[in-house]
Amino acid sequence: MTFCFTTQVQAQNEAANKKDSTQTSLTDTSQTLAPTDTSAANAAASTKKGVEDPAQAKATQLLLEKQQQETAQNNAAADATKPAPSKLIEYFAGEMRPTSNGTSLEISVVDSLGILIPHINGEYDFTLSGKDQKLNFVNGKSTVNFAKGEMPNTIYIKHKNELMHLSNFWRFVKKSDGTISQGNIPLWVAIIPPLIAILLALIFKEVVASLFIGVWIGVFILNGYTLKGFFTSFFNVIDKYIIEVLKDPSHLAVIIFSLLIGGMVAVISKNGGMAGVVNRLTKRVNSARSSQFVTWLLGLAIFFDDYANTLIVGNTARSLTDRYRVSREKLAYIVDSTAAPVASIALVTTWIGAELGYIKGAAESIGLNEGAYSIFLKSLAYSYYPILTLIFILMLILLKRDFGPMLKAERRARMTGHLYESVEEEDHNVDMSELQPIKNKPHRSFNAVLPILTVIFVTMFGLIYTGAKDIWNAENVSFLEKMSRALGGLTPLSNTIGNADSYAALLWSSVTGVFVAVFLTMIQRIMSLRATMDTFLNGIKTMIPAMIILILAWSLAKITSDLNTAGFLSSVLDGNIQPQLMPIITFILAGVTAFATGSSWSTMAILYPILLPVTWGICSLNGLPEDITLPIFYNVTASVLAGSVFGDHCSPISDTTILSSLASNCNHIDHVKTQFPYALTVGIVSIGLSTLAVYMPHFQHWMIYLIGIAVLLLVALLFGRKVQDYDPHFVMPNKNDDLEKPREQLIDEEEFNDEGLIANA
């Protein structure tokens, strides 16, 4: 069975051909008429000056005619060397055939009627399933061979000639009798699975089922969208795609690392280690500003997991901020806006494994010869939203300024003591029994610090060791000399880390961190071995929902790869979008997707496999050199992450936003509406900086960040209003109190209105 890709030549192509033909004719005419011999030119000049010798005029005429004939012959010879319009590949057909050694795909050049064009010979540039290849055509045919067992189920093939961009998507199924059935898949269906997953998540506010249905629809398309295929596709989701992604060693490494870190977090929380860290940080708190500052520091200190960060910081800092009348809205904002940003950019977190997995898959699909960790490190310079969010929180705390709904919440809390929008708000405590430390046991900070430092240092050692194995395996070299070479003495440290096996390093560090946490718990007799392991297993259980999302997201990523969604989007956007706009589009798209799904993880899983190859393809199609393409690629890599966190902060259905409300004991809608203006402010500034980085590449990164910080400072000073500290030693007036009390009882020497707010604010 043979099927032909028939692309209709658009009117614009015909116009382009006509224009080229006209230009060629004009060029040929000018070449024909242009004298090239000096003697002829002199003769013509003499004639023009008025030399009327008949013999000389006749000789000049004969010379010009001779040169015209020679020019015409030269032009004809030159035209013969150019590919004639009929020699351009405008249509092609494909047929997969079984052979004794496997299978072969025969690609034929045909005309618009599907008839073979036999005079096509030579090499032509094609792309087969994302890999650039030169196919050698003989008599209009070229063959691509596949070994036994390696026949692809689908092939996305494209070719770009001088007139148009050609592409096709073929599906192949080997039957029991040995024959091969094949068919065309419309290119536009490639966007259906991820689009359905996003829309269902938006409608039903549920990510797991949405991702599963997205994978199911994708398998249904690949199976030929028949009634029988609809049911078999349901089972293929499990027995083919989910099993396939779990066979990937890097995916298994990410899952094991995340589960181990989840277990370690539970142990160091239960043994009182995290409470000890909090107690040490809170000793010097004496004002609302310092209580917020300590909360911000706690958010940075618990960098390894956003869930752990949210739950631990929210519950431990709540009593501290309550003492100084910090509104629950402000506490929830600090908790929420430090958790994901710091976890997303730190080098050792539960996020890093998933991020590296997505980046690695995308880099392999485009043939980029650079390690995932190296790409991640270089993209951090463009992670404007997470970094500026952390800076903006600190800025508001130090300046004691707020604006928008947060200003009203803060002044209400300071002046009236009402920590909630509604006085009747009940104090719903979050069930944190699994993270609450053991009673009547000392809270020692080193029980948390040592396991965390172990994870950090073992990860760094693993990266250096696996990235420079040749150095470590060298004989007759001292350990210190090997260390010096690995740390940059022989090769740059960035190259060492870029070449490292990051998954092995993360596995080593997580299992070592768990061992240290359990050992410290046991040796101090804080818990029995059984109780410690039960706590460890409970910590693993908390990671199961995230792992299910991750596995389904990987399956959807494989579907988009098989359907070549990135290739389709690249061809659609080719010529319709500037490569420099991709970071902006990526940030906005990631923000909208995360807002709709409520999950930054699923957003990254959906968009990384699509947008990274699309960006690379658009840059290539626009002829950008690698030194310009790579910064755009790194910027887009960071924009997926940053946009995901941004949308997560704005979404009322986000898991971390909900957890922040619960852990801070804040009304969820109050938290969302007070945080949104701050997130939007930083998001807009981040888009501007991302644009500046692309269009002004000579700007250093620190200069761009200084511009962003200056803009945020200006916003805080222009729109922010002062919120004074509360002194618990003074008696603050309530709504019905006599406001004519002595002035020394008020921190702010200002009048209050009926709502308990400063009247002249």
Side-chain angles (χ1 to χ4, degrees), residues 190-421:
I191 64 172
I192 290 180
L195 187 61
I196 286 179
I198 294 173
L199 291 178
L200 289 178
L202 174 63
I203 295 171
F204 297 106
K205 309 294 189 294
E206 211 289 318
V207 177
V208 174
S210 302
L211 288 172
F212 183 89
I213 293 174
V215 176
W216 185 7
I217 295 299
V219 180
F220 172 62
I221 293 172
L222 290 172
N223 284 348
Y225 33 86
T226 62
L227 181 61
K228 178 183 177 182
F230 181 78
F231 295 101
T232 58
S233 301
F234 179 82
F235 300 109
N236 289 156
V237 173
I238 300 294
D239 62 24
K240 183 176 181 181
Y241 279 87
I242 290 180
I243 294 298
E244 193 69 26
V245 299
L246 290 176
K247 289 180 181 178
D248 190 323
S250 63
H251 292 168
L252 289 176
V254 170
I255 293 172
I256 295 173
F257 168 76
S258 301
L259 295 177
L260 290 176
I261 288 294
M264 187 193 78
V265 169
V267 172
I268 64 178
S269 299
K270 197 77 171 179
N271 67 16
M274 290 308 307
V277 172
V278 172
N279 293 337
R280 283 184 173 273
L281 291 174
T282 57
K283 283 183 178 180
R284 298 181 180 273
V285 174
N286 55 16
S287 66
R289 178 166 64 176
S290 58
S291 69
Q292 294 176 66
F293 179 69
V294 167
T295 304
W296 180 79
L297 285 179
L298 285 173
L300 298 186
I302 308 176
F303 59 85
F304 45 83
D305 180 67
D306 57 331
Y307 288 171
N309 185 309
T310 298
L311 296 174
I312 294 172
V313 176
N315 281 273
T316 54
R318 195 168 62 202
S319 58
L320 183 66
T321 56
D322 285 356
R323 182 184 179 191
Y324 293 96
R325 293 190 175 181
V326 176
S327 67
R328 291 292 174 83
E329 292 94 329
K330 188 64 174 290
L331 173 61
Y333 167 64
I334 297 174
V335 170
D336 196 3
S337 294
T338 54
V342 73
S344 65
I345 61 176
L347 301 183
V348 182
T349 71
T350 52
W351 286 52
I352 188 65
E355 291 170 351
L356 294 181
Y358 302 144
I359 295 172
K360 175 177 177 288
E364 289 178 349
S365 69
I366 60 177
L368 181 60
N369 188 24
E370 184 173 1
Y373 215 110
S374 175
I375 295 173
F376 172 75
L377 291 177
K378 292 176 181 177
S379 72
L380 289 180
Y382 302 93
S383 297
Y384 301 114
Y385 180 81
I387 295 174
L388 289 180
T389 295
L390 297 173
I391 294 174
F392 190 53
I393 298 171
L394 180 62
M395 189 183 298
L396 294 174
I397 293 172
L398 296 180
L399 293 175
K400 297 195 291 186
R401 288 178 177 269
D402 284 291
F403 59 87
M406 190 69 78
L407 175 64
K408 181 180 179 181
E410 279 290 87
R411 285 182 167 173
R412 179 204 68 228
R414 298 287 203 286
M415 298 302 108
T416 69
H418 300 156
L419 304 181
Y420 308 95
E421 176 68 26

